[in-house]
Amino acid sequence: MPRAFKNWLQAYVHHTRFSESPDSFHFWTGVATIAGALRRRVWIDQLHFQWTPNFYIVLVGPPGVAAKSTSIRAGLSLLEKVPGVAFGPSSTTWQALTEALQNAQDFVEIEGRPTAEVMSCLTIGVSELGTFLRPDDKEFVDTLVAMWDGQKEVWRRQTKTQGETVIHNPWINLIGCTTPAWLKDNFPDVLIGGGLTSRMVFVFADKKRQFVAYPSRLVTPATFKEEEEYLVHDLLQIAQLKGEFTISEAALEWGDEWYRAHWMASRSSHLASEKFAGWWARKQTHLHKLAMVLSAAKRDDLRIEKEDLEEALTLVTDLETDMQHVFSSIGVSHSAKVSNEVLTFIRNHKQIKLQDLWKLCFNTTAQKDFSEAIVAARDAGFIKIVGKGETQMIVYTGSALAGNPLSTATQPLQYQGKASQSSDKGE
């Protein structure tokens, strides 16, 4: 039977149409799901290195608002029905992680290769990133960095108790959930933009897409089950893809032009901070990783077309807005954090008496810091002060600019990807 859907990712996002989670959470969960099915069995060879379709995707949002964990479970539950896919532990040490990789070792027959390829591939779903990742554990972070890069050399580690660990073609595909507060408390400023975070895909949302108290009332069990069966059917076919991706001539020409423009141009103003230097340097890699998934979602030909790279660029560039929201409060000064909190109260009220605003902040903010925050917000043009004495009012006048220490993400992001609301079922 041919594929049921012309585009698996579009069909998957449509399948989640009655969820409260934003489209972006479901789309990137779909990306992680296809990546988990592909494993390291496909790649783009650049002689000195390979691009492989694995991701470190992190869904970021306040607790209990955007249904992050529910989004992940929806995709990985489909992947669990694909034979041969190995899942890694959601809480572990780097030693236990490498042991899990060893246990996942597989021998893959690839057309044109005289012998089977040895590879160890894991997909890991983490409902709370903090149970899996400790940013201060340098060896664990270094291990994750090495696994994302997909280099061709054998990976080795030496320990006193276990001796030498040797893994051929290790590969980790990770999707996890966390909150802005956890990132702020656990990611020091020096880590942002560095080795690990520049390899991560951060997807942010702070509001539900819609309010659905009882999803089961909106779709019949039979329809839901049928959609799942078709999605699994296509995922099984995607999991059979093996071999090297080729890049069409038109795609190569587009990629050459984009690469030169990318490095010759100055970074966009919203990415000017050194926090984003690592991301900027690895954007080409993110682009090609995603292009493989986009191609596999639609076709079996292991070919990257120009349209795949163009779509990948749109989707990857969209993430940069999310990154500003995620990292806006990391590494900023104490006074900026106070200003941020005070401005949040003002923005939510639109206008408020100065005395009432002080009552809201009284238990958490020193009066000197509070007064300086009001002056800073006024000087930045975010508020105006009206009246005098006890009747003095604070009026919010405009949105905080992205990248400004006073900014706080309070508006839901408009998903700019190409995942449509049509299931696009094949003929």
Side-chain angles (χ1 to χ4, degrees), residues 350-367:
K350 304 303 181 187
Q351 64 179 33
I352 185 173
K353 283 186 178 181
L354 178 61
Q355 187 179 54
D356 291 339
L357 179 62
W358 171 234
K359 289 178 181 177
L360 291 173
C361 301
F362 179 83
N363 290 325
T364 58
T365 307
Q367 188 168 16

Side-chain angles (χ1 to χ4, degrees), residues 201-413:
V201 169
F202 292 94
V203 187
F204 175 84
D206 65 349
K207 284 182 171 58
K208 297 178 183 293
R209 175 179 58 182
Q210 56 191 351
F211 298 106
V212 182
Y214 305 103
S216 62
R217 297 177 63 189
L218 302 179
V219 60
T220 66
T223 298
F224 188 84
K225 182 179 180 181
E226 181 185 39
E227 290 177 358
E228 275 202 340
E229 288 175 349
Y230 281 128
L231 287 166
V232 171
H233 170 271
D234 285 6
L235 202 58
L236 290 169
Q237 293 198 20
I238 292 170
Q240 297 304 310
L241 298 178
K242 292 185 292 186
E244 180 182 349
F245 267 91
T246 59
I247 305 177
S248 72
E249 191 61 36
L252 287 170
E253 291 177 3
W254 183 93
D256 278 336
E257 290 182 12
W258 174 84
Y259 190 72
R260 283 194 296 271
H262 177 70
W263 281 108
M264 291 179 66
S266 300
R267 293 208 303 268
S268 304
S269 58
H270 62 286
L271 297 179
S273 168
E274 282 306 300
K275 290 180 180 180
F276 304 112
W279 168 266
W280 189 261
R282 293 187 174 85
K283 189 168 182 176
Q284 185 198 27
T285 301
H286 286 287
L287 205 68
H288 287 80
K289 282 176 174 283
L290 182 55
M292 282 185 276
V293 168
L294 296 174
S295 172
K298 296 177 283 189
R299 305 183 301 274
D300 295 331
D301 59 7
L302 294 182
R303 187 173 175 85
I304 303 295
E305 302 290 353
K306 178 185 173 183
E307 68 180 46
D308 300 319
L309 288 177
E310 290 175 328
E311 185 176 355
L313 176 61
T314 297
L315 292 160
V316 169
T317 301
D318 288 342
L319 295 171
E320 292 165 0
T321 301
D322 290 17
M323 291 167 62
Q324 294 174 75
H325 290 305
V326 169
F327 297 141
S328 63
S329 61
I330 295 177
V332 300
S333 67
H334 169 72
S335 61
K337 292 178 182 178
V338 173
S339 297
N340 200 357
E341 184 173 357
V342 171
L343 186 62
T344 299
F345 280 122
I346 299 170
R347 181 166 41 231
N348 288 338
H349 284 81
K350 304 303 181 187
Q351 64 179 33
I352 185 173
K353 283 186 178 181
L354 178 61
Q355 187 179 54
D356 291 339
L357 179 62
W358 171 234
K359 289 178 181 177
L360 291 173
C361 301
F362 179 83
N363 290 325
T364 58
T365 307
Q367 188 168 16
K368 178 176 179 293
D369 293 337
F370 174 78
S371 299
E372 289 177 352
I374 296 296
V375 172
R378 182 201 64 193
D379 291 349
F382 298 126
I383 66 170
K384 63 180 179 180
I385 303 173
V386 181
K388 295 181 179 180
E390 294 184 358
T391 63
Q392 198 169 50
M393 297 289 294
I394 307 297
V395 180
Y396 181 65
T397 59
S399 298
L401 299 174
N404 189 289
L406 295 175
S407 67
T408 309
T410 60
Q411 298 299 319
L413 295 178

Side-chain angles (χ1 to χ4, degrees), residues 57-122:
I57 297 169
V58 182
L59 308 184
V60 184
V65 173
K68 304 180 293 293
S69 299
T70 303
S71 301
I72 288 178
R73 285 194 294 270
L76 296 190
S77 65
L78 301 178
L79 187 61
E80 288 173 351
K81 298 177 182 179
V82 177
V85 173
F87 291 87
S90 59
S91 178
T92 186
T93 62
W94 76 264
Q95 294 93 337
L97 183 60
T98 55
E99 183 178 345
L101 280 164
Q102 286 181 310
N103 293 337
Q105 181 175 280
D106 193 12
F107 296 86
V108 182
E109 299 283 350
I110 297 176
E111 186 177 353
R113 299 290 179 95
T115 58
E117 289 285 328
V118 183
M119 55 186 66
S120 298
C121 303
L122 289 177

Side-chain angles (χ1 to χ4, degrees), residues 63 68-69 72 90-91 125-133 175-179 182:
K68 304 180 293 293
S69 299
I72 288 178
S90 59
S91 178
V126 185
S127 59
E128 294 292 341
L129 189 63
T131 66
F132 177 80
L133 174 63
I175 182 166
C177 308
T178 193
T179 64
W182 186 88

Side-chain angles (χ1 to χ4, degrees), residues 126-202:
V126 185
S127 59
E128 294 292 341
L129 189 63
T131 66
F132 177 80
L133 174 63
R134 281 184 51 198
D136 60 346
D137 186 338
K138 185 177 184 302
E139 287 185 300
F140 190 73
V141 169
D142 289 346
T143 299
L144 289 177
V145 167
M147 299 303 171
W148 185 87
D149 287 346
Q151 300 306 308
K152 296 192 287 187
E153 69 268 14
V154 177
W155 189 84
R156 291 182 170 87
R157 280 293 186 274
Q158 187 78 33
T159 64
K160 293 180 180 179
T161 57
Q162 297 177 329
E164 186 179 44
T165 298
V166 178
I167 302 177
H168 294 267
N169 293 317
W171 184 94
I172 290 177
N173 180 48
L174 170 70
I175 182 166
C177 308
T178 193
T179 64
W182 186 88
L183 288 173
K184 184 167 69 172
D185 292 342
N186 291 277
F187 271 58
D189 189 40
V190 294
L191 192 63
I192 304 304
L196 181 59
T197 54
S198 63
R199 290 165 169 83
M200 288 178 160
V201 169
F202 292 94

